């Protein structure tokens, strides 16, 4: 794999501050210096846990990044309940997941919203992790590649190639999230390759080859090796298996 892998833990709505500090500390305790060169490691806790997790990693001087799970595109203003890029920046948050299927499904996040969030994050120099993925209905219909590639095009609309490079795309088939049902390595590779072709059509082969495409959806220590062995899968966005230090570390080790 020429691209440096990225392993990002999506904690979703789990862990109070106290629990987050314990988990961050357990991950940090197992940090090895070679991670810095061989694999980018990021945890994406709930907003309130960002600063505490960041503090643990800073105190331990380990290269583990923190990311948010959502952001608003406006700089500030009357958006009750929302968090801005500037607020995330101040915490030292280097990454942000956007367009997760749970946000699209439960909170009505649209492709247009994802695009606005991506632009705001890029402006603020926070790296977007842009999630795309099809439902089981779309897969059964046989239109997965069209559907996912349209999501990619919409997310990157109006974003220049030099800026797109800071983004990561995470392919997460909705039917594989939290279900224990993983996409086969071939299924995941097929879609991740199509995503890269789309990026190449938009930005040229050089940019597309430099960008990371992750797989997410029930990734675990038992299936990680064969997934990341695929040529177009550059790491994982991990939910359930990122909530325990032991399994998260095992996933990271698969990338070293
Ligand atoms: P999962 O979640 O690993 O628990 O399937 C992945 C995600 O939703 O990012």
């Amino acid at each position: 794999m020429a691209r440096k892998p990225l392993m990002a833990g999506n904690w979703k709505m789990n862990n109070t501050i106290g629990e987050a500090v314990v988990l961050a500390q357990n991950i940090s305790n197992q940090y090895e210096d070679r991670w810095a060169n061989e694999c980018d490691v990021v945890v994406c806790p709930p907003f309130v846990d960002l600063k505490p997790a960041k503090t643990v990693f800073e105190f331990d001087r380990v290269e583990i990044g923190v990311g948010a799970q959502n952001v608003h595109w406006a700089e500030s203003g009357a958006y009750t309940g929302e968090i801005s890029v500037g607020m995330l920046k101040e915490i030292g948050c280097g990454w942000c997941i956007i367009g997760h299927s749970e946000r699209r499904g439960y909170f009505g996040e649209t492709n247009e919203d994802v695009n606005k969030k991506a632009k705001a994050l890029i402006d603020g120099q926070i790296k977007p992790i842009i999630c795309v993925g099809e439902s089981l209905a779309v897969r059964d219909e046989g239109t997965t590649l069209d559907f996912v590639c349209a999501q990619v095009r919409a997310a990157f609309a109006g974003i220049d190639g030099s800026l797109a490079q800071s983004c990561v795309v995470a392919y997460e088939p909705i039917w594989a999230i939290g279900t224990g049902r993983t996409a086969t390595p071939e299924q995941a590779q097929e879609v991740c390759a199509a995503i890269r072709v789309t990026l190449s059509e938009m930005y040229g082969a050089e940019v597309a080859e430099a960008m990371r495409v992750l797989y997410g959806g029930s990734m675990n220590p038992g299936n990680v090796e064969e997934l990341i062995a695929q040529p177009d899968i550059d790491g994982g966005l991990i939910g359930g298996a990122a909530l325990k230090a032991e399994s998260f570390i095992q996933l990271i080790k698969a990338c070293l």
Side-chain angles (χ1 to χ4, degrees):
M1 214 184 320
R3 293 169 290 271
K4 190 179 184 186
L6 166 64
M7 282 301 198
N10 174 10
W11 293 4
K12 307 195 180 185
M13 196 174 72
N14 293 293
N15 293 325
T16 62
I17 292 177
E19 291 163 343
V21 167
V22 170
L23 178 53
Q25 189 65 67
N26 284 339
I27 296 167
S28 179
N29 287 348
Q30 297 181 66
Y31 178 82
E32 297 172 52
D33 287 334
R34 61 184 176 139
W35 291 11
N37 292 325
E38 296 176 25
C39 180
D40 283 336
V41 177
V42 176
V43 298
C44 302
F47 287 127
V48 295
D49 298 338
L50 280 167
K51 184 70 180 170
K54 178 78 186 172
T55 303
V56 169
F57 299 143
E58 274 176 354
F59 186 81
D60 287 356
R61 297 176 193 274
V62 294
E63 277 196 41
I64 302 175
V66 299
Q69 300 171 16
N70 186 28
V71 71
H72 195 275
W73 55 81
E75 266 178 44
S76 62
Y79 300 101
T80 302
E82 295 293 327
I83 301 278
S84 73
V85 171
M87 293 169 187
L88 296 180
K89 247 183 113 61
E90 197 178 317
I91 289 174
C93 177
W95 307 78
C96 184
I97 298 169
I98 53 174
H100 191 280
S101 60
E102 286 150 19
R103 295 222 53 90
R104 293 179 191 259
Y106 301 145
F107 304 103
E109 193 164 316
T110 63
N111 279 334
E112 202 185 20
D113 296 339
V114 175
N115 179 244
K116 286 193 267 190
K117 292 177 183 194
K119 286 175 176 163
L121 288 166
I122 290 169
D123 274 352
Q125 290 165 314
I126 293 179
K127 296 185 184 73
I129 300 175
I130 301 171
C131 301
V132 295
E134 82 289 2
S135 64
L136 196 53
V138 169
R139 178 154 286 268
D140 288 346
E141 226 171 63
T143 53
T144 294
L145 298 186
D146 287 345
F147 183 87
V148 171
C149 293
Q151 284 183 321
V152 171
R153 285 188 179 280
F156 284 95
I159 297 174
D160 195 73
S162 58
L163 301 174
Q165 289 208 47
S166 71
C167 301
V168 172
V169 179
Y171 167 56
E172 299 205 306
I174 298 169
W175 47 272
I177 295 178
T179 58
R181 190 177 152 186
T182 327
T184 64
E186 294 73 27
Q187 285 172 323
Q189 164 60 22
E190 184 190 26
V191 183
C192 291
I195 290 170
R196 201 176 307 282
V197 168
T198 303
L199 294 171
S200 169
E201 286 164 1
M202 295 181 82
Y203 299 120
E206 201 178 320
V207 171
E209 284 302 316
M211 289 176 68
R212 288 180 288 197
V213 180
L214 311 182
Y215 169 78
S218 299
M219 188 182 258
N220 60 52
N223 59 30
V224 61
E225 302 271 1
E226 52 181 9
L227 284 163
I228 62 161
Q230 301 302 312
D232 286 293
I233 300 179
D234 307 313
L237 182 56
I238 304 131
L243 292 175
K244 293 258 179 302
E246 298 67 37
S247 44
F248 190 51
I249 299 289
Q250 276 180 273
L251 297 182
I252 295 162
K253 286 194 168 157
C255 293
L256 303 176

